[in-house]
Amino acid sequence: MKINWNYIKTFLLIGAVFFLFAFAEKRNNSRVLSEVNLNFTNSENLYLTEEAVNKLLIQNEVRVRSVGKEKLDLNRVETLLEAHEMVENAEVFMTVDGKMGASITQRKPLARMMGNVQYYLDRNGEKMPLSEFHSARVPLVTGVTEEHLQEVHPLVNFIGNDEFLTRHVTGLHRLSNGKYEIYLRKLDFVVMLGTVSEIQTKFKNFKAFYQKAMKDKKLDAYQKVDLQFGDQVVCTKK
């Protein structure tokens, strides 16, 4: 009987392919996570450290350095990270070489609310606890209670997104009538902003006044600058 070697070679080739595929899959599934790569998208101010993230995962029994890839629930890890009081968003992923990666966006504080209990107000208008790792350089706000947070948020958000105001504004105070005073770095006059309305126009007028007064070297001549009168800036001299 004549043996057809072509058929035999074909069967052997198919068998070898299936064997290699099964071997590769088993090896990939049994591969142990050897490293966790963390990336903080706003790493200039770390309110949460890499050590704190690893401690969080350990406390929740997420053994990312010793568990097989197929056993790691990435959604659970992502949920744990996003539940942290300093995290705004987290994206967790797995690399082909057995490493877990996490891209973490920290919450961004806009102002520090002063009172019996101090906390930050973040860019989403929500309360944010102080961090043991970093103190944010943001304006200090007094006279504001929790019921006023939605009122003051547009104001501190505007200041936090304006380079000039971020550089100069150090504090805000809410008066009992709902009007705000603003305090500036290295200047001893008070800026009367009034209510949180038409703030874009008010600050535009203030910038024009500031540039003119600085050019004339008269910034130290005033004790109060009032922005409540439309397009006018009313100044009171010392």
Side-chain angles (χ1 to χ4, degrees), residues 34-47:
S34 60
E35 187 176 342
V36 181
N37 294 325
L38 297 179
N39 172 51
F40 293 95
T41 60
N42 45 0
S43 57
E44 66 276 11
N45 292 327
L46 286 179
Y47 305 103

Side-chain angles (χ1 to χ4, degrees), residues 142-206:
T142 56
V144 171
T145 61
E146 285 193 40
E147 62 182 293
H148 304 131
L149 294 184
Q150 291 186 349
E151 174 189 273
V152 74
H153 178 250
L155 176 56
V156 295
N157 186 58
F158 189 93
I159 292 173
N161 286 288
D162 186 283
E163 182 180 355
F164 175 86
L165 297 176
T166 299
R167 188 168 65 250
H168 290 286
V169 175
T170 60
L172 301 92
H173 177 69
R174 187 185 190 275
L175 303 173
S176 59
N177 60 5
K179 296 184 178 181
Y180 286 83
E181 296 177 339
I182 295 178
Y183 307 100
L184 305 175
R185 181 172 286 107
K186 296 182 180 179
L187 294 172
D188 59 358
F189 62 77
V190 176
V191 178
M192 299 298 300
L193 180 71
T195 60
V196 185
S197 62
E198 300 180 350
I199 54 178
Q200 184 172 359
T201 299
K202 292 176 181 178
F203 282 126
K204 179 181 178 181
N205 294 337
F206 175 71

Side-chain angles (χ1 to χ4, degrees), residues 33 62 64 69-81 90-95 99-101:
L33 288 170
V62 180
V64 294
K69 292 199 305 179
E70 79 288 353
K71 295 182 181 180
L72 181 62
D73 187 344
L74 297 182
N75 290 330
R76 177 171 177 255
V77 177
E78 197 168 277
T79 299
L80 286 172
L81 293 176
E91 296 182 3
V92 180
F93 53 89
M94 182 79 70
T95 62
K99 298 178 182 179
M100 188 189 81

Side-chain angles (χ1 to χ4, degrees), residues 108-111 113 119-123 125-126 149 152-153 156:
K108 181 180 179 180
L110 296 176
M113 318 308 289
Y119 56 92
Y120 293 124
L121 185 66
D122 75 2
R123 58 182 168 188
E126 299 177 352
L149 294 184
V152 74
H153 178 250
V156 295

